Amino acid sequence: MGSFQQLKQLTRGNALFLIIILGIGGSFQNGYHITGLSSPSPYIQRFINSSWYDRYEEPPPPQTVTMIWSLIVSMFAVGGLFAGVMLASKQAKSYEMIIVARILYGFSAGLGASTHVMYLGEIAPIKIRGAVTLTAATFGCLGKLFGQFFGLSEILGREELWNVVLCVPAFFSLVQVLVLPFLPEAPRYLFIEKGDEKACKKALQSLWGQGDYEKEMDEMLAEQEAIDAAPPKTPLQLLRDRTVRWQLLTMFLIYWSNQLSGMSTISTFSFDIFLKAGLPRDQIRYVTLCLGVSEIITSITCGLLMIEHIGRRPLFWGGYGVMGASLVFVTVTLNLKDSGEWVSYITASLVILFNIFFSGGPGGTTGTLHSELFIQSDRMAAFVLIGSQRWFVFALLGLVFPFLIDILDSYCFVLFACICLLASL
């Protein structure tokens, strides 16, 4: 189905509205909290220093500040949300409250993002399921953009408001909680689990416009028969199954490469990276906003046009290749930053180029890959394994990268460049 027809079908009923509501409570939350720490990072580190001094009447050792900052970044990958904990941390002069809030937030955000993708697959007809599930990646990019936008000094990116920046996603969560009860149940759940054909047809018409949807309901039955014929596997059973070894290797290679390419660290630590590159402090937040804008435009373009016309394989190897080359040149320009201010803008341009080729390549093409590589009975186990791997690597990078950039300085990007080039090969 062409891109225009897909967009037309999305607007016939309430499906587009439901996709938006699911998005702002799902992958949007993850995206926001990846970039939401970038802009207020100098204020948070200053807050760590002042909190330590208030308690112990001496400044903290630099390595202690780096460790606390690393924990604040990485603990998002461990756990879920109580925005009040984050909001009250400043008044309580407790950096521990930020760490606890990130753990709590990560739990619910991870759960929300997982159910977001699964629910999109439940409500979408087979012929547009790929395009619908790819909206999860788009909302992840949108969340990153909002994190950068609210970090602008003209909005909330000021020292007295840094704790408010971290709590913005709570508003979107509240909107989702208030609206979701008025939206229809998943048609597949109504038809297969509850056996209510009439309610299923009504839900399909509410989502996708008027029609008889007999074909879609037949497809649901066929899918259910396939599930009944091959019961779902557990993650451990899937790992032991030799018939899916190549699928697992492919998925692990792609997701490890995505996580270790440097994209998540650039998103989270962009302020520190651009500061090290020599960009004027008052311009950095606008450059990071350009990162967010370029990422969401490329993500939408990739979902609607590039995957369909170019195919995944060229987007993977081409994307990793350009990303690797960009990081090599970033390393060179970081070492030449004293040659003039113009070098710092070349560094920023290279980082934006890296971002574009990630979003339009590996980042934009992995959203539905596990659904296409695995049969129905294996998909949930594959989803759990991939999600666990993703969060583990995110936590590891968040913990290690602040130390890595202190030790290796600009040469830390050579490691990411090597991983990108190996992934391309």
Side-chain angles (χ1 to χ4, degrees):
M1 181 182 285
S3 303
F4 177 75
Q5 285 80 8
Q6 289 177 354
L7 287 171
K8 188 176 179 181
Q9 183 157 0
L10 285 174
T11 56
R12 285 176 59 196
N14 296 318
L16 185 60
F17 180 65
L18 178 59
I19 288 169
I20 292 170
I21 295 300
L22 288 172
I24 62 174
S27 55
F28 175 92
Q29 304 277 329
N30 284 343
Y32 187 98
H33 274 273
I34 288 173
T35 61
L37 282 179
S38 175
S39 181
S41 62
Y43 307 138
I44 296 174
Q45 292 179 53
R46 202 175 301 158
F47 169 70
I48 294 169
N49 274 285
S50 64
S51 298
W52 184 282
Y53 189 86
D54 288 343
R55 293 181 197 180
Y56 306 112
E57 297 184 350
E58 62 179 11
Q63 285 190 328
T64 302
V65 176
T66 304
M67 175 56 75
I68 294 170
W69 171 235
S70 298
L71 285 171
I72 288 172
V73 173
S74 63
M75 286 302 102
F76 168 69
V78 178
L81 162 77
F82 270 359
V85 178
M86 200 93 78
L87 193 64
S89 59
K90 186 177 179 182
Q91 286 70 29
K93 296 184 177 180
S94 171
Y95 49 78
E96 294 91 346
M97 291 177 72
I98 305 177
I99 296 172
V100 170
R102 293 280 289 177
I103 293 172
L104 292 172
Y105 189 86
F107 180 78
S108 67
L111 187 64
S114 300
T115 54
H116 176 199
V117 175
M118 288 188 286
Y119 194 68
L120 287 174
E122 288 283 306
I123 66 169
I126 289 177
K127 58 187 175 183
I128 62 166
R129 187 172 293 167
V132 170
T133 52
L134 275 173
T135 61
T138 302
F139 274 96
C141 297
L142 191 64
K144 291 182 182 180
L145 178 62
F146 270 67
Q148 291 151 345
F149 173 75
F150 283 106
L152 293 175
S153 55
E154 293 86 349
I155 312 298
L156 296 173
R158 300 189 293 279
E159 187 158 14
E160 65 272 18
L161 293 173
W162 63 260
N163 56 327
V164 180
V165 175
L166 302 183
C167 298
V168 168
F171 167 76
F172 295 98
S173 298
L174 180 62
V175 171
Q176 187 189 52
V177 168
L178 293 175
V179 174
L180 269 183
F182 300 99
L183 293 170
E185 289 273 13
R188 180 187 173 83
Y189 167 76
L190 293 170
F191 188 40
I192 302 298
E193 302 297 330
K194 298 188 74 173
D196 194 335
E197 184 177 341
K198 186 177 178 181
C200 172
K201 188 172 290 188
K202 185 178 178 182
L204 284 167
Q205 290 172 341
S206 173
L207 288 169
W208 306 104
Q210 293 302 310
D212 59 16
Y213 294 103
E214 293 296 333
K215 183 181 177 183
E216 284 76 8
M217 294 170 74
D218 289 340
E219 288 170 347
M220 290 179 197
L221 285 174
E223 281 187 291
Q224 188 59 39
E225 287 172 4
I227 292 171
D228 293 338
K233 293 186 179 75
T234 65
L236 192 58
Q237 287 173 330
L238 193 66
L239 287 171
R240 291 172 176 170
D241 189 348
R242 294 189 176 189
T243 63
V244 295
R245 183 167 293 173
W246 280 110
Q247 291 97 310
L248 284 172
L249 285 173
T250 301
M251 291 305 302
F252 282 136
L253 172 65
I254 289 170
Y255 276 88
W256 272 96
S257 300
N258 276 8
Q259 290 298 102
L260 295 175
S261 67
M263 183 61 205
S264 59
T265 53
I266 285 174
S267 296
T268 305
F269 299 101
S270 57
F271 191 95
D272 300 321
I273 292 168
F274 289 136
L275 194 63
K276 188 173 282 290
L279 277 175
R281 186 180 287 266
D282 60 342
Q283 294 181 20
I284 290 176
R285 291 182 177 87
Y286 301 102
V287 177
T288 58
L289 191 65
C290 289
L291 276 177
V293 171
S294 65
E295 187 171 353
I296 192 167
I297 291 173
T298 313
S299 175
I300 293 170
T301 306
C302 178
L304 292 178
L305 300 173
M306 290 196 287
I307 293 178
E308 186 177 334
H309 296 293
I310 299 175
R312 279 194 170 88
R313 187 186 293 271
L315 291 175
F316 274 124
W317 67 256
Y320 284 130
V322 176
M323 287 160 63
S326 300
L327 291 178
V328 169
F329 286 114
V330 165
T331 306
V332 173
T333 54
L334 283 173
N335 282 285
L336 296 174
K337 65 180 180 181
D338 295 330
S339 302
E341 192 176 327
W342 58 272
V343 179
S344 62
Y345 291 102
I346 292 178
T347 304
S349 301
L350 287 167
V351 172
I352 292 172
L353 180 69
F354 170 91
N355 191 65
I356 288 171
F357 274 86
F358 176 82
S359 304
T365 52
T366 53
T368 59
L369 202 56
H370 73 281
S371 297
E372 297 175 17
L373 287 179
F374 294 94
I375 61 173
Q376 184 73 35
S377 59
D378 297 342
R379 284 175 193 162
M380 185 55 66
F383 192 79
V384 170
L385 290 171
I386 292 160
S388 301
Q389 172 194 312
R390 177 173 176 260
W391 288 112
F392 170 75
V393 177
F394 185 86
L396 185 66
L397 283 174
L399 196 61
V400 170
F401 185 75
F403 294 99
L404 200 64
I405 201 168
D406 282 344
I407 297 168
L408 298 178
D409 199 47
S410 59
Y411 292 101
C412 66
F413 293 104
V414 175
L415 295 174
F416 295 133
C418 291
I419 290 167
C420 288
L421 294 173
L422 283 171
S424 179
L425 291 173

